[in-house]
């Protein structure tokens, strides 16, 4: 055998040994996930393959292996403040949905209704109901279709979850708490007929009673206020007062406790009780907001 052939075979054997060592070391150390690619390159490209990977390893060790100094890097979100300027042009062009329905021309009004359809309409049911009286028949049709669909979803949702709550099984009170929040968002907009509104307020009160009887700590001050106000709207004064008294017992320092009593006693014409609550509010540590101050001015 010629000398050059012997040298070539020797190079191939050494190349295979180097490739096998590379493969085994990567399997053991598990540092490189793509070691099979390197192994194949070394076999297919003798000498050049191992030299390429050796050079790459040396360059990495020399230039990129030192740990990054993060002493000067601040990750705390508390130190970062994003200051966003007021969008004056956009704010000047913003009006309430009720006003838009009243003043918008037919083309823009239809576009507005279509945009509402794409979003969550549950909080805009009252505004949508105003569009039922629009002179534009197409807009009125959109409004009627949206309202009917939303109310049907509400009816199905309430019936389904009420059944779960009435069984009073495990996690039933979680459903009761969610159902109170869900129902109040719709009932406070008064989009049902008087008869149906009363029916669902009765269910609303029923769910509240079940939650209060089983887990009174889950009934928040906003729940008490919502239950008392919805009952007040259907002239159930005694049952409304019941929730007001419970709120006063469980949340004596909540503003909602006082506001629901003030609205109740004003509606009932209970002048002495009304001013008694006003005095309690004055002597308490509860911070009165602008809405409550306006309420007191109107009532007095």
């Amino acid at each position: 055998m010629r000398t050059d052939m012997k040298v070539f075979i020797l190079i191939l054997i050494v190349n295979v040994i180097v490739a096998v060592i590379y493969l085994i070391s990567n399997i053991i150390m598990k540092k490189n996930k793509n070691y099979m690619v390197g192994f194949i390159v070394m076999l297919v490209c003798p000498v050049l393959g191992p030299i390429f990977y050796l050079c790459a390893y040396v360059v990495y060790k020399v230039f990129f292996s030192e740990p990054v100094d993060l002493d000067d890097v601040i990750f705390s979100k508390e130190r970062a403040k994003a200051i966003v300027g007021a969008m004056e042009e956009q704010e000047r062009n913003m009006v309430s949905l009720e006003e838009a329905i009243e003043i918008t021309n037919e083309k823009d009004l239809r576009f507005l209704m279509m945009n509402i359809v794409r979003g969550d309409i549950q909080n805009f049911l009252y505004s949508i109901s105003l569009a039922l009286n629009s002179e534009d028949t197409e807009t009125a049709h959109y409004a009627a279709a949206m309202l009917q669909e939303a109310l049907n979803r509400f009816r199905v949702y309430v019936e389904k979850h009420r059944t779960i709550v009435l069984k009073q099984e495990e996690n039933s009170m979680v459903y009761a708490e969610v159902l109170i929040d869900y129902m109040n968002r719709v009932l406070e907009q008064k989009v049902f007929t008087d008869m149906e509104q009363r029916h669902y307020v009765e269910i609303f009160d029923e769910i509240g009673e079940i939650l209060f009887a089983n887990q009174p700590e889950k009934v928040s001050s906003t729940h008490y206020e919502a239950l008392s106000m919805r009952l007040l709207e259907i002239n159930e004064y005694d049952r409304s007062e019941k929730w007001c008294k419970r709120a006063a017992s469980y949340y004596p320092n909540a503003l909602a406790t006082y506001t629901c009593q003030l609205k109740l006693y004003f509606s009932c014409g209970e002048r002495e009780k009304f001013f008694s609550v006003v005095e309690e509010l004055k002597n308490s540590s509860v911070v009165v907001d602008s809405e409550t101050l306006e309420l007191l001015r109107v009532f007095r």
Side-chain angles (χ1 to χ4, degrees), residues 80-142:
K81 276 189 179 180
I83 301 175
V84 180
M87 294 181 287
E88 297 179 3
E89 184 64 29
Q90 180 178 345
E91 290 175 0
R92 279 196 294 267
N93 293 327
M94 290 178 66
V95 295
S96 67
L97 189 56
E98 292 87 345
E99 293 177 358
I101 290 173
E102 291 293 331
I103 65 176
T104 308
N105 59 47
E106 291 183 1
K107 181 180 178 181
D108 292 338
L109 185 55
R110 292 176 186 178
F111 181 73
L112 172 64
M113 298 304 291
M114 293 303 295
N115 282 337
I116 295 174
V117 172
R118 298 190 186 102
D120 182 9
I121 66 172
Q122 190 183 54
N123 295 325
F124 303 104
L125 297 179
Y126 173 73
S127 301
I128 293 171
S129 67
L130 297 178
L132 293 173
N133 299 321
S134 174
E135 295 179 358
D136 179 29
T137 55
E138 189 169 345
T139 298
H141 173 73
Y142 288 154

Side-chain angles (χ1 to χ4, degrees), residues 168-180:
Q168 297 192 34
E169 298 175 348
E170 186 179 1
N171 296 326
S172 290
M173 295 307 103
V174 176
Y175 285 97
E177 190 176 359
V178 172
L179 193 55
I180 289 174

Side-chain angles (χ1 to χ4, degrees), residues 41-244:
V41 170
M42 289 182 184
L43 291 179
V44 175
C45 304
V47 182
L48 294 178
I51 290 176
F52 170 77
Y53 278 93
L54 178 62
C55 293
Y57 178 77
V58 171
V59 171
Y60 170 77
K61 281 296 183 181
V62 173
F63 296 104
F64 303 104
S65 62
E66 293 184 2
V68 180
D69 184 9
L70 298 177
D71 291 339
D72 296 329
V73 180
I74 300 173
F75 292 100
S76 175
K77 292 182 180 179
E78 296 177 358
R79 302 194 182 195
K81 276 189 179 180
I83 301 175
V84 180
M87 294 181 287
E88 297 179 3
E89 184 64 29
Q90 180 178 345
E91 290 175 0
R92 279 196 294 267
N93 293 327
M94 290 178 66
V95 295
S96 67
L97 189 56
E98 292 87 345
E99 293 177 358
I101 290 173
E102 291 293 331
I103 65 176
T104 308
N105 59 47
E106 291 183 1
K107 181 180 178 181
D108 292 338
L109 185 55
R110 292 176 186 178
F111 181 73
L112 172 64
M113 298 304 291
M114 293 303 295
N115 282 337
I116 295 174
V117 172
R118 298 190 186 102
D120 182 9
I121 66 172
Q122 190 183 54
N123 295 325
F124 303 104
L125 297 179
Y126 173 73
S127 301
I128 293 171
S129 67
L130 297 178
L132 293 173
N133 299 321
S134 174
E135 295 179 358
D136 179 29
T137 55
E138 189 169 345
T139 298
H141 173 73
Y142 288 154
M146 281 190 288
L147 197 60
Q148 187 63 37
E149 183 181 356
L151 296 183
N152 285 338
R153 283 202 305 266
F154 174 86
R155 295 181 183 105
V156 172
Y157 184 94
V158 170
E159 190 59 37
K160 176 182 176 182
H161 290 80
R162 180 194 180 198
T163 303
I164 296 173
V165 173
L166 291 176
K167 290 180 180 178
Q168 297 192 34
E169 298 175 348
E170 186 179 1
N171 296 326
S172 290
M173 295 307 103
V174 176
Y175 285 97
E177 190 176 359
V178 172
L179 193 55
I180 289 174
D181 291 325
Y182 176 81
M183 291 186 71
N184 186 59
R185 287 199 299 272
V186 176
L187 292 176
E188 67 181 350
Q189 298 181 67
K190 302 176 187 176
V191 289
F192 290 104
T193 61
D194 292 342
M195 184 179 296
E196 197 168 13
Q197 178 79 6
R198 173 174 285 274
H199 169 70
Y200 282 112
V201 171
E202 294 284 351
I203 294 175
F204 189 50
D205 181 51
E206 177 189 42
I207 301 299
E209 286 288 357
I210 293 173
L211 181 60
F212 180 80
N214 288 274
Q215 294 182 357
E217 70 280 0
K218 293 289 186 181
V219 186
S220 66
S221 61
T222 54
H223 290 156
Y224 284 115
E225 183 183 28
L227 286 158
S228 63
M229 289 300 97
R230 300 296 79 78
L231 287 165
L232 177 60
E233 289 165 357
I234 61 170
N235 300 324
E236 290 287 343
Y237 300 121
D238 292 339
R239 290 158 70 186
S240 177
E241 187 176 25
K242 169 193 65 180
W243 287 108
C244 288

Side-chain angles (χ1 to χ4, degrees), residues 20-31:
V20 171
I21 293 173
Y22 172 82
L23 177 64
I24 295 172
S25 63
N26 277 283
I27 292 174
I28 295 173
M29 300 179 70
K30 297 181 179 179
K31 286 187 176 182

Side-chain angles (χ1 to χ4, degrees), residues 256-272:
T257 298
Y258 292 96
T259 54
C260 69
Q261 291 182 81
L262 291 172
K263 293 174 183 177
L264 169 65
Y265 295 136
F266 178 82
S267 300
C268 295
E270 297 280 355
R271 184 179 179 83
E272 291 183 4

